[in-house]
Amino acid sequence: MSQKNNENENNKDINDLLEENKIKGEKIIDDEKVKVEQGKNYIKIKKVLPLILAIIVSLGVGFYGGKEIGRSLPATHKSYSKSQVIATVGDTKITGDDFNKRMEPLYYYQGLKKLSNEEIETYETNTINYMTNLEVLYQAAKDEKLTVTDDEADSNYDTTMGSIASTYNMSEDEFLKKFDLSKDYVKKHLKKEMIATKYLTENSEVTEKEAENYYNKNKEDFKEISASHILISNYDDNDKEISDDKKKENKELVEKVLKKALAGDSFEDLALENSDDTYTSSNGGDLGFFSEGEMEDDFDEAAFSLKVGEIYPKVVETSYGYHIIKKTGEQYSKFDDLKESLIKSLSSDKQSNILKNAQEKYKVKVNM
């Protein structure tokens, strides 16, 4: 596993480990403003306000997971030398023994599925990233003398082991024995995760006032426009891409319709008569309001270059076909509508910076 691959995956895996401790960062998809794509007849929509990759910790891949139950031996298995130093975080060593305790339940989780070498490397990369990121945040938390009570740790342990028992169809004792774990070992690492989580949470809080200040200073980023379009689709009724000859015919047709629109013919009537976007054609091609970055790039660039009431003077091609575009309005998204997602986005930015700074301070080195 190369160091480059490790860096490329550094944040990606952590987002998958957030569920248990309820820290949602980049990406909190359910709070993003995402328009619904209406099949081939609608413009391809991108996510708005992408949030920074979520940083940190829950029990995650090491002790938790699994869809199937009751199996004895996994199809994939790989052991790691217990004495090998897999990674270092400052003076702290992560050994092959620690890594085994994280990976073995994961291999068991796969059941009868035989993992490819690439899949194994991905799991290894994600796991070691999780472990090193956890350690740097834990060390940062220790420097601030953060802790959690034994009662809190015990409660977390009980909840976790209860979930594991149902997931793996094993009792607590069976699970611990199966994966060469002890109650104290699991409690110790759960407590470490809780402390790291507490550090990250307390240092990444964003107030409503902070979010409002950001909104006011960056208001242009929250500009929305409305537009209508006429689509000549490059797909047939079976959603298959048409031939090049048919595309040429479509291009000639859309050019004729564009000339009529620029000459003053009713855009609404032209959309009703010619647009293949059946979702919008009956409403004059109205796409409603959208932010910059939501539409496919060429469509987006053309629409945002127009003045209200203006028709783009050229045919715009996207993966859906050929478009005629008219800008119909503009406005700014209201702060109250964005407040919650903006707070989460700014908090996630802080989380990303916290992790980056901790990685630099405590010097992570991966030896795989």
Side-chain angles (χ1 to χ4, degrees):
M1 184 188 310
S2 68
Q3 179 68 29
K4 183 178 180 181
N5 285 342
N6 179 65
E7 290 171 355
N8 287 342
E9 295 290 337
N10 190 43
N11 286 325
K12 181 179 178 182
D13 65 300
I14 298 300
N15 186 53
D16 296 329
L17 307 176
L18 295 173
E19 187 68 23
E20 295 307 303
N21 283 323
K22 310 300 183 188
I23 301 180
K24 309 279 186 175
E26 179 228 318
K27 303 188 171 195
I28 309 169
I29 300 297
D30 54 336
D31 283 328
E32 290 189 46
K33 183 181 177 184
V34 181
K35 287 187 180 288
V36 178
E37 186 176 315
Q38 300 291 333
K40 73 181 183 67
N41 292 327
Y42 198 53
I43 301 297
K44 187 177 181 181
I45 303 296
K46 299 178 181 179
K47 297 185 181 91
V48 180
L49 292 176
L51 305 177
I52 303 305
L53 273 177
I55 305 304
I56 184 103
V57 295
S58 76
L59 196 50
V61 298
F63 300 128
Y64 204 50
K67 298 176 183 176
E68 299 172 347
I69 56 176
R71 61 184 92 91
S72 56
L73 291 174
T76 303
H77 188 267
K78 182 178 178 180
S79 295
Y80 306 89
S81 171
K82 291 187 177 183
S83 60
Q84 179 187 358
V85 177
I86 301 292
T88 56
V89 179
D91 295 329
T92 300
K93 297 177 181 179
I94 296 174
T95 66
D97 186 46
D98 295 319
F99 199 61
N100 270 320
K101 286 178 167 58
R102 294 281 179 177
M103 293 300 295
E104 286 184 2
L106 188 149
Y107 289 134
Y108 186 85
Y109 158 80
Q110 296 300 322
L112 300 178
K113 179 184 177 183
K114 181 69 174 176
L115 298 177
S116 67
N117 289 336
E118 288 185 354
E119 288 174 319
I120 291 172
E121 183 172 330
T122 297
Y123 282 122
E124 289 175 334
T125 298
N126 290 346
T127 301
I128 199 63
N129 287 339
Y130 163 75
M131 296 176 76
T132 54
N133 288 341
L134 168 62
E135 187 62 39
V136 296
L137 291 168
Y138 175 67
Q139 291 191 20
K142 283 201 306 180
D143 286 349
E144 291 196 4
K145 302 188 184 319
L146 292 182
T147 187
V148 296
T149 67
D150 289 339
D151 286 344
E152 289 172 323
D154 289 344
S155 177
N156 192 5
Y157 176 85
D158 291 341
T159 300
T160 298
M161 295 312 295
S163 298
I164 284 173
S166 61
T167 299
Y168 282 86
N169 196 27
M170 295 178 183
S171 68
E172 176 183 330
D173 289 341
E174 287 171 336
F175 181 86
L176 296 175
K177 183 178 180 180
K178 177 73 178 177
F179 300 113
D180 192 26
L181 298 165
S182 69
K183 187 173 183 177
D184 287 342
Y185 181 91
V186 177
K187 273 190 175 184
K188 174 185 174 182
H189 284 271
L190 282 174
K191 191 170 185 178
K192 177 182 285 191
E193 290 169 344
M194 292 174 72
I195 291 170
T197 298
K198 184 176 182 180
Y199 167 78
L200 189 69
T201 303
E202 290 184 356
N203 286 280
S204 62
E205 291 180 352
V206 174
T207 66
E208 183 176 325
K209 185 63 177 177
E210 286 179 280
E212 188 171 12
N213 288 340
Y214 180 90
Y215 171 83
N216 289 331
K217 289 178 180 178
N218 299 275
K219 198 168 183 179
E220 284 301 311
D221 292 343
F222 305 104
K223 185 177 181 179
E224 297 179 321
I225 67 167
S226 59
S228 296
H229 81 138
I230 298 168
L231 169 68
I232 305 300
S233 175
N234 283 334
Y235 292 85
D236 62 22
D237 292 338
N238 295 317
D239 289 341
K240 292 183 178 180
E241 193 169 3
I242 60 177
S243 67
D244 289 342
D245 287 342
K246 181 60 177 174
K247 286 182 181 179
K248 185 177 179 181
E249 292 179 16
N250 282 354
K251 185 68 177 295
E252 292 173 354
L253 170 61
V254 77
E255 293 281 5
K256 291 179 181 178
V257 176
L258 175 61
K259 286 182 180 179
K260 291 181 180 180
L262 292 173
D265 286 17
S266 166
F267 195 94
E268 291 76 9
D269 290 345
L270 290 172
L272 183 62
E273 295 167 6
N274 297 281
S275 183
D276 291 325
D277 182 353
T278 57
Y279 182 74
T280 66
S281 60
S282 61
N283 197 29
D286 181 27
L287 291 167
F289 279 91
F290 52 91
S291 301
E292 193 167 9
E294 283 190 65
M295 300 295 190
E296 284 195 5
D297 292 342
D298 289 340
F299 190 103
D300 200 65
E301 183 178 348
F304 273 85
S305 70
L306 298 172
K307 297 177 181 178
V308 175
E310 188 177 9
I311 297 171
Y312 195 70
K314 297 179 181 179
V315 171
V316 176
E317 184 176 1
T318 72
S319 62
Y320 288 85
Y322 301 113
H323 306 263
I324 301 169
I325 302 170
K326 179 180 180 180
K327 181 176 176 180
T328 56
E330 62 182 30
Q331 66 183 20
Y332 291 97
S333 300
K334 296 179 181 178
F335 172 70
D336 285 344
D337 294 337
L338 297 172
K339 179 172 61 178
E340 294 303 320
S341 61
L342 189 54
I343 287 173
K344 290 171 183 175
S345 174
L346 294 174
S347 177
S348 298
D349 284 342
K350 286 188 177 182
Q351 290 177 356
S352 184
N353 288 329
I354 289 167
L355 178 61
K356 181 180 178 181
N357 292 337
Q359 288 170 331
E360 292 174 355
K361 181 176 180 179
Y362 299 103
K363 302 188 185 307
V364 174
K365 183 180 179 181
V366 176
N367 302 317
M368 294 185 71

